[in-house]
Amino acid sequence: MFDWLFEGRTNVYVIFVALAAFLLLVWWQIRKRWLLAGVIAAVGLIGLYALLDKAIETDREQIVRKLQEMVAALNVHNLDAAFIHISDRFRSAGGMSKQGLRSVAQDHLGWDVKNVQIWDILIAEHPSRERGEVHVFFSAKTHNSREFLTDCDALFEFHPEHGWQLRTFRLLKPQTNEEWGWQI
């Protein structure tokens, strides 16, 4: 509900900086001590907001972190580190289980998949632990003998003991909602 308070959003920083700058400008013109106190308070709010951002990881931040950790693990060929963020109930769009996906990943990691990158991560709605799942959309690219570019519709589910984990995903043609003719 109050995730904006902990996510370090740029627009909140802009508001606080604009407030501090405005108060400083007015103080410069009329030199009232209470305006200087207001500048100090606005700067303090910026610091407090940054502290809250660093101290508390929201569900949205956890999902993004776990996606980035999976990618980083794949890039160093560490399947154990990547697969801890995949649910035991995983089932791909092609019907593959978690173990099947791991087997395919192991076969392709050595020669086919190099330098995985993801960007434009969009979490469709506010992650809700009560609802238990949320769709995450992002773009991905792998570098190998040829580049492969795709969009991904991933479903994350919440487990109290593991947090948010990948439950399934669909690979989509870039900038469309159309699935590739094949799915993992």
Side-chain angles (χ1 to χ4, degrees):
M1 182 173 170
F2 292 103
D3 284 353
W4 65 270
L5 195 56
F6 309 108
E7 289 186 343
R9 295 184 180 174
T10 305
N11 56 349
V12 175
Y13 282 112
V14 167
I15 290 168
F16 288 147
V17 168
L19 175 63
F22 173 75
L23 290 173
L24 188 61
L25 182 65
V26 173
W27 172 81
W28 187 259
Q29 297 296 318
I30 61 175
R31 305 287 178 150
K32 296 289 184 184
R33 184 168 277 195
W34 64 270
L35 288 167
L36 199 52
V39 171
I40 292 168
V43 170
L45 286 173
I46 293 169
L48 178 62
Y49 189 63
L51 182 64
L52 287 173
D53 177 33
K54 296 298 178 201
I56 298 171
E57 181 180 60
T58 64
D59 288 340
R60 183 182 313 273
E61 290 171 329
Q62 183 186 117
I63 291 167
V64 170
R65 176 183 55 81
K66 288 187 171 194
L67 271 171
Q68 292 168 338
E69 286 177 1
M70 283 190 273
V71 168
L74 288 174
N75 284 333
V76 296
H77 298 191
N78 184 348
L79 290 181
D80 291 335
F83 274 74
I84 62 171
H85 301 305
I86 298 177
S87 172
D88 290 336
R89 298 180 353 150
F90 176 86
R91 188 67 66 194
S92 73
M96 195 174 295
S97 68
K98 179 178 180 177
Q99 291 304 334
L101 180 65
R102 186 183 177 96
S103 177
V104 168
Q106 185 68 50
D107 290 345
H108 289 280
L109 210 49
W111 60 273
D112 200 26
V113 176
K114 306 256 191 288
N115 192 20
V116 177
Q117 296 175 315
I118 61 171
W119 66 95
D120 290 342
I121 300 169
L122 172 68
I123 299 177
E125 61 231 77
H126 180 75
S128 167
R129 293 180 181 194
E130 293 77 32
R131 192 172 53 252
E133 60 184 38
V134 66
H135 277 273
V136 180
F137 301 93
F138 58 92
S139 297
K141 177 170 46 172
T142 63
H143 298 276
N144 50 20
S145 57
R146 65 182 203 285
E147 282 188 355
F148 176 68
L149 179 64
T150 188
D151 287 339
C152 187
D153 173 8
L155 181 68
F156 275 74
E157 66 181 7
F158 183 77
H159 296 278
E161 63 279 357
H162 302 295
W164 291 95
Q165 291 187 309
L166 179 65
R167 170 78 184 276
T168 189
F169 63 86
R170 294 180 314 130
L171 300 176
L172 308 170
K173 294 179 181 178
Q175 300 181 346
T176 72
N177 206 17
E178 182 183 348
E179 288 185 10
W180 288 98
W182 54 272
Q183 290 290 320
I184 294 175

